[in-house]
Amino acid sequence: MQPNLKCDVVVVGAGPAGSTAARFLAKNGIDVIVVDKRQEIGAPKRCAEGIRLKALEKVGLKPNPAWAVNSIRGAVLYAPSGKQLKTVIDDSGGYILERKIFEKHIAAEAIRAGARYMVKTLATGVMKENGYVSGIRAEYMGDEFEIKSRLVIAADGVDSRIAKSAGLDTVNKVTDYHSGFQYEMANLNMNDSDMLHIYFGDNIAPKGYVWIFPKGKDIANVGVGILGLKSDDGNRAKDYLDRFIKDHPEIFKNSSPIEINAGGVPVSSSVDTLVADGLMVVGDAAQQVNPIHGGGIALAMNAARIAADIATKAIRENDLSKEKLQEYEKIWRETDGARMKKLLKLRNFLEKLDDNDFEKFADILKGEDIVRLTGGRYKFLLKLFMKKAPKMLSLAKKFLI
Ligand SMILES: Cc1cc2nc3c(=O)[nH]c(=O)nc-3n(C[C@H](O)[C@H](O)[C@H](O)COP(=O)(O)OP(=O)(O)OC[C@H]3O[C@@H](n4cnc5c(N)ncnc54)[C@H](O)[C@@H]3O)c2cc1C
């Protein structure tokens, strides 16, 4: 029989968001319990595993070759015709992670700081007292039990049920999500295994892209994201990926998958509210994902760091009200949230382009322009369109201004 438990903070989910929140809380001397329904933290992965060095540093992590398995210095973008645009990542690049090891590492760091972890433990819903979330109900190996707490942090990913069970609406329209499908593949014949490779085109991935993220010389995550569950002609993400692989024998002829990953990626980066009395929502559960490339690890960890800081203050001041916890939401919306709002405009603009427009892009843009665009700087684009692509100007004005 699993006994009922008590702590300051229950974190639901031991992904990048949950374990980062737990690590910072525990470091601050807060009594924290993390529950995860998976029997093994980090597996199965639902991720292409790309992250920038800057994002790791922001949450105090130093890349370790055990989990930062391949250094990346930039990206090659491919227009539908195959024309390439190379861009180098500023501020010393990034990595492809081995997430199964990375997630265990950040969980272990949280445990070393004092957090308690429970794996194979499903949170089934929140408990409430006087309108405040006061803990969770959970199941472990057939036993039902309760964990009473002063605060619950919902870090339970894109399928979050915890925020919903507390009464928050964190689910968006189907078209606010990408369907992601990926193979990790071995024995690829790749050029530039220190670059991300990203392919655009209506026949390749409608309103999305195919990626090859190298984990080494001949191993890579090869995946696709398309908007919604199926394209207009009824094809699923898997169909697009299989076709891409078949159409590129020069890369894939002698390769095979060693893993399949699939999952939803929230790309609208917006939910109405991130807190309630006694509750905070972080990471994919709060749709804190980059609307341009669907990357969420960096945002999840940074949001968790901010949430842990505000949660610590709230606990010390014995005020777990929504108003107090809103300080987290405010900071997030003024920083990463504001950046994501800008990038959502770029996404809405890109979704209106056809293959010819992407070809034009490849003709007129330089590598450093991609860095400017993904940094949310668009003014230069209007000037460029005025000179070199007047047809795109009104569209750009409508969506980017
Ligand atoms: C195909 C694909 C490729 C991607 N590629 C990248 C990439 O290259 N780079 C990048 O930055 N991001 C990428 N992402 C997004 C990234 O994986 C997420 O943004 C990131 O995992 C979010 O972290 P999180 O901690 O919020 O959620 P998650 O990593 O989803 O963790 C949530 C955790 O909560 C647990 N959980 C859920 N419900 C419960 C419950 N009721 N009780 C207990 N535990 C529960 C889950 O088991 C899980 O461990 C990709 C996503 C997909 C689908």
Side-chain angles (χ1 to χ4, degrees):
M1 199 53 190
Q2 174 65 44
N4 291 334
L5 298 167
K6 212 173 159 190
C7 61
D8 291 326
V9 182
V10 178
V11 178
V12 180
S19 285
T20 303
R23 178 164 61 97
F24 280 100
L25 285 164
K27 273 188 179 169
N28 290 342
I30 304 293
D31 181 18
V32 49
I33 297 180
V34 182
V35 300
D36 200 294
K37 64 183 179 184
R38 292 186 285 181
Q39 66 189 43
E40 181 181 358
I41 288 173
K45 73 172 189 221
R46 286 202 290 192
C47 191
E49 305 177 292
I51 193 157
R52 289 169 74 158
L53 170 64
K54 201 169 72 172
L56 295 171
E57 288 174 343
K58 218 169 185 173
V59 292
L61 294 171
K62 273 204 193 116
N64 175 331
W67 47 259
V69 292
N70 192 29
S71 293
I72 295 293
R73 63 185 175 89
V76 188
L77 312 184
Y78 298 79
S81 65
K83 206 179 291 169
Q84 299 180 16
L85 183 61
K86 274 195 186 182
T87 172
V88 172
I89 305 173
D90 51 359
D91 50 53
S92 57
Y95 295 91
I96 301 301
L97 301 171
E98 185 59 71
R99 250 186 91 158
K100 288 165 196 165
I101 302 178
F102 174 67
E103 283 192 36
K104 286 198 183 94
H105 169 78
I106 51 175
E109 286 293 295
I111 293 166
R112 287 181 194 116
R116 288 178 274 168
Y117 270 60
M118 301 182 71
V119 289
K120 212 171 167 50
T121 303
L122 174 76
T124 52
V126 298
M127 302 184 294
K128 281 193 177 179
E129 251 176 60
N130 305 321
Y132 276 64
V133 173
S134 60
I136 60 161
R137 290 194 184 80
E139 264 174 41
Y140 171 68
M141 310 281 255
D143 287 344
E144 291 180 9
F145 68 105
E146 295 177 354
I147 309 180
K148 255 186 98 33
S149 66
R150 298 161 78 191
L151 175 71
V152 171
I153 296 186
D156 49 340
V158 65
D159 318 312
S160 173
R161 66 157 91 174
I162 289 305
K164 201 166 167 220
S165 89
L168 295 191
D169 179 12
T170 52
V171 180
N172 285 340
K173 307 190 291 291
V174 170
T175 49
D176 287 327
Y177 295 87
H178 257 182
S179 299
F181 189 85
Q182 174 179 276
Y183 300 115
E184 184 172 333
M185 299 185 79
N187 201 30
L188 280 78
N189 182 21
M190 279 186 293
N191 290 322
D192 293 334
S193 58
D194 57 354
M195 301 289 271
L196 307 177
H197 299 267
I198 297 172
Y199 298 78
F200 297 94
D202 259 351
N203 290 323
I204 291 174
K207 300 192 191 340
Y209 62 86
V210 162
W211 64 80
I212 302 177
F213 281 15
K215 294 183 82 168
K217 288 267 170 273
D218 69 348
I219 294 192
N221 290 318
V222 183
V224 67
I226 60 166
L227 199 64
L229 292 174
K230 284 180 180 171
S231 63
D232 293 342
D233 55 9
N235 285 311
R236 300 160 302 169
K238 175 187 179 302
D239 302 322
Y240 282 98
L241 186 59
D242 288 342
R243 185 159 71 197
F244 180 84
I245 290 170
K246 195 162 147 266
D247 289 348
H248 290 80
E250 72 284 7
I251 307 173
F252 299 106
K253 198 172 84 188
N254 296 313
S255 67
S256 287
I258 50 176
E259 185 170 331
I260 292 180
N261 318 114
V265 185
V267 286
S268 81
S269 195
S270 62
V271 292
D272 291 344
T273 175
L274 307 179
V275 293
D277 291 327
L279 180 89
M280 295 168 122
V281 191
V282 292
D284 271 17
Q287 313 226 354
Q288 290 162 326
V289 173
N290 185 308
I292 293 300
H293 53 59
I297 308 172
L299 291 166
M301 294 197 301
N302 197 42
R305 178 185 65 81
I306 301 166
D309 188 30
I310 302 305
T312 302
K313 279 194 214 157
I315 284 170
R316 287 185 183 149
E317 292 167 25
N318 199 20
D319 178 1
L320 281 307
S321 66
K322 178 178 175 175
E323 289 69 34
K324 182 74 189 171
L325 302 179
Q326 247 159 3
E327 208 179 316
Y328 147 62
E329 178 161 350
K330 184 167 176 287
I331 296 172
W332 190 78
R333 289 203 192 282
E334 285 171 0
T335 52
D336 282 347
R339 221 160 38 84
M340 294 312 116
K341 222 171 161 183
K342 257 190 148 179
L343 289 178
L344 186 57
K345 288 184 176 184
L346 180 60
R347 158 170 212 95
N348 292 336
F349 167 69
L350 292 174
E351 278 179 3
K352 296 286 175 283
L353 304 185
D354 60 21
D355 282 6
N356 291 331
D357 299 325
F358 274 107
E359 293 301 335
K360 187 82 194 168
F361 251 31
D363 285 338
I364 65 175
L365 289 184
K366 298 193 212 70
E368 58 265 33
D369 295 334
I370 302 299
V371 176
R372 285 203 266 178
L373 283 176
T374 51
R377 283 170 287 152
Y378 309 141
K379 272 196 185 139
F380 79 95
L381 201 61
L382 299 179
K383 281 191 197 152
L384 195 66
F385 282 168
M386 215 160 354
K387 266 203 227 152
K388 297 194 169 166
K391 267 173 59 191
M392 277 194 249
L393 188 61
S394 59
L395 203 60
K397 277 186 177 160
K398 182 171 170 199
F399 286 98
L400 296 179
I401 299 294

